[in-house]
Amino acid sequence: MTMRHSGIGMTSSRTRQRMIDRLRDQGIRDEGVLAAMYEVPRHLFVDEALASRAYDDVSLPINYEQTISQPYIVARMIEVLRASTTRPIKRVLEIGTGCGYQAAVLAHVFPEVYTMERIEPLYQRASNKLRDLKIENVTVRYADGSAGLPESGPFDGIILAAAAPEMSAVLRGQLAAGGRMVLPVGRQEQWLYLVERTEQGFRESKLEPVKFVPLLMGKA
Ligand code: SAH
């Protein structure tokens, strides 16, 4: 991997290992998630000027008033999706591609990933990045993700990278039986929720307080 965009030492295995050690300290236990986060070159998804901070536990700006989520929350949401005991999680939908980082991590742990972005230049850039990195099991769509992607569903997992104002009936309707959705809900005060589709209906669990950019309507 080239060092040209990253500054001396940035991509070193020590830098990445420090992030993994920190994720363990923060309570992430899923070795598959930790391995994927070690593998995916996070510094290549942010601007050159921010690359030296790419492995810190912070969200960083990716332009258009959007941010790449902090490593902890990416790991946590994927860990919750993978904790399914009812159904193997194979086909996953992400809403809010942003720079494509979380989609790349998802692609390491799930066979089939769809991701949707409403801001065209972010969609373009993320598509190019995933192609350059030869990540081939992600389909990127330029569309308003609040309607989901019914033509490619139902999904075993759905993950939102932007906070919905309220629980979305449309999106949970695109879950397969036994499937699960992880999403931030709320405006000022936001909580991470897990929604499981059971035989009888849906089960919701409130997990932890979070801070995400809002889910917005329409394309931009
Ligand atoms: N997963 C991303 C984080 C992106 S931040 C990453 O790894 O970088 C959230 C993203 O959700 C932003 O890019 C924002 O434009 C997008 N977004 C917000 N509302 C959306 C909607 N209705 N449909 C699709 N994308 C949306």
Side-chain angles (χ1 to χ4, degrees):
M1 196 74 47
T2 175
M3 300 293 282
R4 191 161 49 91
H5 293 297
S6 51
I8 303 298
M10 260 309 301
T11 63
S12 76
S13 52
R14 277 190 57 206
T15 308
R16 293 194 197 186
Q17 191 56 51
R18 263 205 305 276
M19 177 177 84
I20 302 306
D21 293 344
R22 201 177 49 230
L23 290 171
R24 280 187 209 282
D25 289 347
Q26 290 168 309
I28 304 299
R29 293 286 172 267
D30 184 327
E31 291 299 329
V33 172
L34 293 166
M37 300 220 15
Y38 183 82
E39 286 300 319
V40 176
R42 188 169 157 93
H43 64 287
L44 297 182
F45 288 87
V46 299
D47 284 349
E48 239 177 284
L50 297 171
S52 68
R53 295 167 61 199
Y55 295 89
D56 294 350
D57 195 39
V58 290
S59 59
L60 294 169
I62 53 172
N63 302 317
Y64 313 97
E65 296 175 28
Q66 304 305 319
T67 55
I68 177 175
S69 307
Q70 67 180 121
Y72 167 74
I73 200 68
V74 172
R76 175 76 175 125
M77 290 199 295
I78 300 176
E79 181 174 75
V80 170
L81 267 193
R82 270 168 54 98
S84 170
T85 53
T86 47
R87 183 186 183 89
I89 308 287
K90 293 189 176 149
R91 185 185 300 159
V92 170
L93 173 65
E94 177 195 43
I95 294 165
T97 313
C99 65
Y101 172 72
Q102 179 167 272
V105 179
L106 288 167
H108 269 70
V109 294
F110 301 117
E112 194 180 345
V113 177
Y114 295 82
T115 182
M116 305 177 74
E117 175 55 56
R118 67 179 284 278
I119 298 180
E120 216 212 339
L122 287 177
Y123 154 77
Q124 278 297 348
R125 227 192 292 164
S127 305
N128 294 341
K129 184 64 68 182
L130 292 166
R131 192 199 52 219
D132 292 350
L133 292 174
K134 306 210 164 20
I135 296 174
E136 282 159 3
N137 55 332
V138 179
T139 304
V140 190
R141 288 291 176 82
Y142 169 47
D144 179 349
S146 44
L149 199 56
E151 65 269 32
S152 303
F155 299 96
D156 307 313
I158 300 179
I159 190 164
L160 271 74
E166 57 201 28
M167 190 55 71
S168 166
V170 173
L171 292 177
R172 69 182 195 184
Q174 290 176 29
L175 282 175
R180 40 175 55 203
M181 171 161 77
V182 186
L183 76 167
V185 179
R187 292 175 198 271
Q188 298 297 2
E189 189 193 317
Q190 300 173 4
W191 285 79
L192 195 64
Y193 279 83
L194 166 65
V195 178
E196 296 162 279
R197 184 161 201 166
T198 65
E199 293 296 327
Q200 296 79 29
F202 298 95
R203 181 166 54 231
E204 286 178 14
S205 327
K206 194 174 178 181
L207 302 179
E208 60 195 69
V210 287
K211 189 81 198 112
F212 278 82
V213 296
L215 188 73
L216 299 175
M217 306 297 277
K219 295 205 274 187

